[in-house]
Amino acid sequence: MEPLNESLFDAQALEFPAALASALAPAALPGHFDELRGQATPAVPARPAAGAAPLAPMPPMLYDAAAQPPGPSQAQSQTQTQTQVLQPAPGDTPPLTPAWNAFFEQLGPGGFNDLPRRAVSLERQIRDNGVTYNVYADADGPQRPWSLDLFPLIVSPESWAQIETGVLQRTRVLDRVMADVYGPQQLLAEGLLPAALVHGHPGYLRAMHGVKPPGDTWLHIAAFDLARGPDSNWWVVSQRTQAPSGLGYLLENRLAITRQFPQAFEALQVQRLAATYSAMMDGLQRMCPAGVPPHIALLTPGPYNETYFEHAYLARYLGLTLVEGSDLTVRDQRLYLKTLQGLRPVHGLIKRLDDQFLDPLELRPDSTLGVPGLLQAIRAGNVLVANMPGSAFLESPALLGFLPGLARRLIGEKLKLPALPTWWCGERAALEAVLPQLGDCAIKPTYPGSDGQTSFDAVLGSKLSRRELDEWAGRIVREGEAHTVQSYLPLSQMPTWANDMGPGHIAPRAMLLRVFAVSDGPQSWRVLPGGLARLAGRDAQIASMQRGGSSADVWVQTHGEVDRTTLLQPHATPASLARHRAPVTSRAAENMFWLGRYTERAENAVRLARLTLNLLGSEDQSSRPLLDWLHRMALRNALVPAEAPSAPQSRRVFERALIAELGDVARGGSVGFSLRCIRQAAAAVRERLSQDTWNQIVRAEADFLRRAAEQAGEGSFATGAALRALESASTALAAMTGAQTDRMTRDDAWRLLSIGRHIERLGFLASALEAGFENGAVHEVSGFEAMVALFDSTITFHARYQQRRDVATLVDLLVLDAENPRSLAWVTQTLRGRIARLAGSAPGKLTALSYELPDPAAWTLEHLCAAGAEADYPALVQLLASCETAAYHVSDAIGTRYFTLTSESLRSVGA
């Protein structure tokens, strides 16, 4: 545990923030590089145990030769860098680096006193922006907020030059390795690359052999995890090529942190990020095999993936269509997007899906995330995929030891950015050399876990007991190929703002830096001038977001002029704008449709539950028709279980049953269930919703379920508390409805949302009115008033008809009024028009599906109010039944036509 410094809130904090930070910020742990002060903290050399063997030299080609500096051998140099560190003069406090000195001096008038407020503001911003990282994605569980530290990692221009040069070089090498492995395979023939690390790796895809990618470029996005050693040099720890994450989170980090420190951001000459993203998109568009302009989509596993926020964020930022595998189809070796207007060609695909799930026809047959036939479309050269499938074997840590030789063979250069010394235990010499050193190294799996393969989490030898080390040694001897051993490097530590142990203070944290290389054209890459710093948790030695770590923004300084490029396109022509119309995928359309239906269903359930509870406690509770009507409606809408006694039988038991079901998310029809379904449908189309709308949805569900859980914990959900919870939910749903009505573009996705709402409204209101006439509840004053209240028309009714209560006034307002948004005529007419517009008809022109709904123009008050022989209203009851039947028939027809694309009119394939 780092020592706690004194409180930073004194008068000096306002005048000398940099000096105060230097005096009070704890130094990095011994043996670690201190990012704040630009030097390593002195370490006491460890005494070798009696009888322990000295560090053995690494055999040829089993470690990164680029890591060897001039002079002593690699093994000796590695030992020296961990013990011979910069020694400050006794009694001196090392000064801050110039960059950190400037950062603290730019805190503004508030100095350190303002840091707690900024930390709270940052936390609120992350929460309000809905930034999440779902470590254990669970449809029923809460989303975990993204963890971001207040301070950025500052990288000097000199350090960045080393990183940039080395990362670009390594990306070129990895790309050429893939080209050889899926082409002539000369590296395997010459023995420069063991066949076990290629053909034996589950990520090697034989189906990709012989493929020629567009632009002869296999890798479009590559990520490298770097650690700074005590010698201040950067070392490669691992590399990610399959579907590297972080490009979206680092953007959110940048926006959040620069908002907290705008003056420091400008003063430190921090490089911007937009130009690199723009260059990446330009490069992908140029390399796409066809299409003017090409259509590029981002393939996501879906909203339950732990990094789904990033997928939606990137798609919105880059102007991409966010798609899941079910949105795509392959026809005649070409990839298409299923939209409301039919099939639209896709020319490029940025995948955030592991390769094995891409194509169930040729890879994992149980995958529901991929696209059948996708590999065939790739082999035919009809779609660009970033990255090309088959790159997973490059992520094996064992490959790091062979890259120096591969670099000399493929590009004729020596690697400039070293990797940590790495031994693949599949070779005898490496196995014998590394076994005595397990206690000082990290043990990593050579292959990831997959069908027929066993894997394990990386472990640090220093954390193992002697018995555990012996057990690991035995496993490595028995299964050498499956194990890779890597030297342990003390991670550099950067300053963080900690407020988890009382007053806020600066605390050092171990840090791993992820940087990205992206292609900007055929066989051309650039390094994003920034990155994602991952911070280890308290007392942890591994920086992992899945192990409780956090993140930090990365500020790369430049001595030159800052590139202020943005993704805005001020010179776009009106013609180009007219041609671009964001497609609405069938999946997105279906989720928007159900978002509308569940929003309306939740409103109806809340209104019915409130009305029922209020009436059960009122003076009208003696009306048997009213109680019977309430029971019927509660059963029809699943607000009470079927076995519950009816309201006329036992009013109190019925009331308790209704209250107990309100927050049951497992019971369809309950308020809690509907609110959860709203959140799930919204999560699937999050890129289409504003952040305010998303926040409203999340808060509404959480607030209602919290209230229900609190009451359940006390053994009951009292009527008063239930009504308060329902009132709060009603207010939240009204806000959602307002956002859907006034803050969304009137495209086909919105039309489907609106259609879903009105289908649900038509079915519910027609059913309620029909039940009221069937049992005669509307013929009593209490039942009459309850019906008007359920239609949310009480004020309008009394203002228009005063104290008159008869069937004619009821039918006139609730059935025929074309200006009442809850009358059946208004709902039906609106549905007919929006269904027609959805099909592309001109205003006023209806389609065949529109005619499936009754025509309000044919309804007359005289006909509907004509009483039958038994004083009933057969024409009215028949109309109500037909409205309810038509609503759900139209719902099924919309699903068939627009969501499953089985309608013959939508089978055509456009160019």
Side-chain angles (χ1 to χ4, degrees):
M1 181 186 304
E2 75 280 349
L4 294 180
N5 47 356
E6 301 174 7
S7 173
L8 302 179
F9 313 127
D10 52 43
Q12 296 182 20
L14 299 177
E15 301 179 8
F16 309 107
L20 191 62
S22 177
L24 297 182
L29 293 177
H32 295 255
F33 186 84
D34 190 337
E35 297 286 346
L36 185 63
R37 297 176 174 87
Q39 63 183 46
T41 304
V44 179
R47 294 181 178 273
L55 184 64
M58 287 162 281
M61 296 183 3
L62 298 182
Y63 64 95
D64 194 336
Q68 180 175 343
S73 69
Q74 171 66 36
Q76 295 170 339
S77 175
Q78 176 68 10
T79 304
Q80 291 169 357
T81 59
Q82 296 183 19
T83 59
Q84 297 177 2
V85 296
L86 295 175
Q87 301 279 348
D92 289 347
T93 299
L96 307 185
T97 65
W100 279 108
N101 189 82
F103 175 84
F104 286 113
E105 290 297 337
Q106 292 292 331
L107 288 182
F112 276 108
N113 286 345
D114 199 34
L115 290 180
R117 180 197 61 80
R118 299 190 198 204
V120 172
S121 174
L122 175 63
E123 184 177 354
R124 181 172 58 250
Q125 182 179 346
I126 294 295
R127 183 180 63 250
D128 291 347
N129 288 352
V131 189
T132 56
Y133 180 86
N134 305 327
V135 179
Y136 302 105
D138 182 358
D140 297 327
Q143 294 178 315
R144 174 188 173 189
W146 178 248
S147 183
L148 175 61
D149 192 75
L150 184 62
F151 293 154
L153 170 68
I154 303 175
V155 182
S156 68
E158 294 75 20
S159 285
W160 186 251
Q162 178 199 7
I163 292 173
E164 185 175 33
T165 302
V167 164
L168 285 175
Q169 186 188 47
R170 282 180 173 268
T171 304
R172 289 166 50 209
V173 173
L174 293 178
D175 184 84
R176 290 303 86 196
V177 168
M178 276 197 73
D180 179 81
V181 163
Y182 291 107
Q185 297 192 346
Q186 288 296 319
L187 299 176
L188 297 174
E190 296 173 13
L192 293 174
L193 190 58
L197 295 183
V198 179
H199 297 152
H201 196 288
Y204 171 73
L205 304 182
R206 289 167 176 78
M208 293 296 295
H209 188 75
V211 172
K212 299 294 183 183
D216 191 29
T217 302
W218 289 83
L219 297 179
H220 301 274
I221 304 171
F224 297 85
D225 293 326
L226 310 179
R228 196 203 287 259
D231 59 355
S232 82
N233 288 321
W234 292 94
W235 301 72
V236 176
V237 177
S238 60
Q239 53 204 19
R240 294 289 177 264
T241 55
Q242 192 173 192
S245 61
L247 280 175
Y249 285 119
L250 69 87
L251 272 175
E252 180 63 32
N253 287 358
R254 173 59 56 87
L255 293 175
I257 298 304
T258 53
R259 181 175 296 180
Q260 300 301 324
F261 303 106
Q263 296 89 352
F265 185 76
E266 289 292 334
L268 267 64
Q269 290 285 97
V270 180
Q271 296 196 52
R272 307 305 200 260
L273 306 174
T276 303
Y277 285 94
S278 179
M280 178 184 74
M281 291 305 303
D282 290 344
L284 291 176
Q285 290 174 353
R286 290 199 305 271
M287 287 186 283
C288 280
V292 182
H295 179 203
I296 302 177
L298 191 152
L299 177 62
T300 173
Y304 299 142
N305 182 264
E306 68 265 22
T307 58
Y308 179 73
F309 166 83
E310 178 176 68
H311 307 167
Y313 187 93
L314 264 183
R316 181 179 295 176
Y317 180 75
L318 298 177
L320 304 173
T321 306
L322 185 66
V323 300
E324 296 180 25
S326 58
D327 294 326
L328 303 171
T329 185
V330 174
R331 307 282 177 89
D332 298 326
Q333 300 184 3
R334 295 182 182 276
L335 185 65
Y336 293 93
L337 176 67
K338 294 183 284 187
T339 74
L340 293 180
Q341 288 73 37
L343 301 180
R344 175 175 174 178
V346 175
H347 310 102
L349 200 62
I350 299 177
K351 66 178 179 67
R352 293 302 304 271
L353 190 64
D354 286 349
D355 293 343
Q356 58 183 328
F357 297 100
L358 284 175
D359 188 342
L361 291 183
E362 300 191 48
L363 301 174
R364 284 189 57 155
D366 61 339
S367 171
T368 60
L369 304 176
V371 187
L374 178 59
L375 291 189
Q376 185 59 36
I378 295 173
R379 286 195 294 266
N382 293 327
V383 61
L384 177 148
V385 178
N387 289 328
M388 289 290 283
S391 66
F393 76 95
L394 297 176
E395 297 184 351
S396 173
L399 194 69
L400 291 175
F402 295 90
L403 282 178
L406 296 176
R408 290 191 295 269
R409 170 65 174 78
L410 294 172
I411 64 175
E413 298 176 7
K414 180 179 178 180
L415 291 179
K416 300 176 182 178
L417 184 63
L420 291 182
T422 306
W423 295 264
W424 176 53
C425 297
E427 293 196 356
R428 190 70 181 178
L431 175 64
E432 294 175 351
V434 78
L435 283 179
Q437 316 304 325
L438 285 184
D440 299 320
C441 298
I443 306 172
K444 297 184 175 183
T446 301
Y447 311 111
S450 63
D451 294 340
Q453 299 250 4
T454 58
S455 188
F456 55 91
D457 292 331
V459 296
L460 293 177
S462 60
K463 296 292 185 180
L464 301 176
S465 66
R466 171 49 58 186
R467 179 179 177 180
E468 291 171 329
L469 281 172
D470 291 341
E471 290 175 352
W472 274 104
R475 290 178 58 180
I476 293 173
V477 170
R478 292 190 301 271
E479 303 174 358
E481 288 188 359
H483 296 80
T484 298
V485 178
Q486 190 175 70
S487 286
Y488 168 71
L489 181 73
L491 300 179
S492 68
Q493 296 191 326
M494 65 168 285
T496 64
W497 181 254
N499 56 4
D500 54 348
M501 295 185 65
H505 61 282
I506 299 176
R509 286 284 185 274
M511 175 274 302
L512 199 65
L513 172 62
R514 173 166 289 189
V515 296
F516 296 85
V518 299
S519 63
D520 55 6
Q523 284 295 294
S524 176
W525 295 268
R526 64 171 64 187
V527 180
L528 187 74
L532 185 68
R534 292 180 292 166
L535 309 178
R538 181 179 300 278
D539 300 325
Q541 294 176 281
I542 297 178
S544 171
M545 299 302 295
Q546 293 189 350
R547 300 189 183 186
S550 59
S551 69
D553 190 18
V554 178
W555 290 8
V556 176
Q557 293 183 280
T558 178
H559 291 314
E561 186 175 349
V562 174
D563 187 342
R564 300 181 184 274
T565 301
T566 71
L567 292 187
L568 298 177
Q569 299 179 0
H571 303 296
T573 64
S576 66
L577 294 176
R579 285 196 300 269
H580 179 71
R581 185 180 180 184
V584 180
T585 68
S586 298
R587 176 191 54 83
E590 184 172 13
N591 279 287
M592 291 292 284
F593 176 77
W594 281 102
L595 176 60
R597 288 198 65 171
Y598 277 118
T599 304
E600 184 71 21
R601 187 174 298 180
E603 281 197 274
N604 293 336
V606 167
R607 186 177 296 108
L608 178 59
R610 293 178 69 188
L611 178 65
T612 302
L613 292 178
N614 281 322
L615 289 175
L616 290 176
S618 71
E619 59 185 13
D620 297 320
Q621 57 186 270
S622 60
S623 171
R624 187 173 183 86
L626 174 61
L627 293 178
D628 179 65
W629 177 72
L630 292 175
H631 180 244
R632 286 192 187 189
M633 291 302 298
L635 279 179
R636 285 189 182 186
N637 293 276
L639 290 183
V640 295
E643 61 274 14
S646 67
Q649 290 175 334
S650 178
R651 181 176 58 82
R652 289 304 176 194
V653 176
F654 173 77
E655 180 182 44
R656 287 197 295 270
L658 187 150
I659 291 173
E661 297 294 318
L662 288 177
D664 188 353
V665 296
R667 183 175 184 82
S670 74
V671 176
F673 179 85
S674 295
L675 290 173
R676 173 146 297 179
C677 289
I678 291 173
R679 196 252 299 164
Q680 291 173 340
V685 288
R686 187 169 173 182
E687 74 281 5
R688 290 185 165 271
L689 305 178
S690 71
Q691 191 58 51
D692 286 343
T693 301
W694 171 253
N695 290 342
Q696 287 170 354
I697 291 171
V698 172
R699 283 197 296 264
E701 180 200 12
D703 179 69
F704 187 81
L705 295 184
R706 176 185 58 79
R707 290 171 180 265
E710 288 175 354
Q711 293 298 326
E714 297 176 3
S716 65
F717 199 170
T719 302
L723 285 171
R724 288 191 294 273
L726 290 169
E727 182 180 1
S728 176
S730 178
T731 302
L733 287 164
M736 289 184 213
T737 302
Q740 293 173 2
T741 303
D742 296 333
R743 297 187 180 183
M744 296 184 68
T745 304
R746 264 52 172 174
D747 60 359
D748 285 340
W750 177 85
R751 290 189 185 94
L752 276 166
L753 182 147
S754 178
I755 288 170
R757 285 187 61 94
H758 290 99
I759 283 176
E760 195 71 28
R761 183 178 300 178
L762 181 62
F764 175 79
L765 295 179
S767 170
L769 197 54
E770 182 186 12
F773 273 93
E774 282 182 350
N775 81 329
V778 296
H779 299 305
E780 295 187 357
V781 173
S782 58
F784 192 101
E785 292 288 348
M787 186 68 68
V788 173
L790 187 63
F791 274 67
D792 200 17
S793 301
T794 300
I795 295 177
T796 302
F797 182 87
H798 289 294
R800 182 179 299 180
Y801 304 110
Q802 303 300 319
Q803 296 300 314
R804 180 180 173 184
R805 296 183 181 87
D806 53 46
V807 172
T809 58
L810 193 71
V811 172
D812 184 52
L813 180 63
L814 304 188
V815 178
L816 299 176
D817 193 341
E819 296 180 352
N820 179 6
R822 293 198 172 270
S823 77
L824 301 186
W826 187 95
V827 175
T828 305
Q829 190 62 37
T830 301
L831 262 176
R832 286 161 63 95
R834 287 182 181 158
I835 290 173
R837 288 297 304 276
L838 184 65
S841 298
K845 300 291 184 180
L846 300 182
T847 62
L849 188 56
S850 298
Y851 285 113
E852 296 289 334
L853 292 163
D855 182 7
W859 305 349
T860 64
L861 185 63
E862 294 77 7
H863 178 65
L864 296 179
C865 291
E870 299 181 1
D872 57 3
Y873 298 87
L876 176 60
V877 172
Q878 182 180 2
L879 173 64
L880 296 175
S882 66
C883 284
E884 184 179 7
T885 301
Y888 299 122
H889 171 73
V890 168
S891 176
D892 293 339
I894 287 175
T896 300
R897 180 179 178 86
Y898 294 108
F899 306 152
T900 62
L901 293 185
T902 57
S903 172
E904 292 298 324
S905 63
L906 292 181
R907 284 186 175 275
S908 62
V909 176

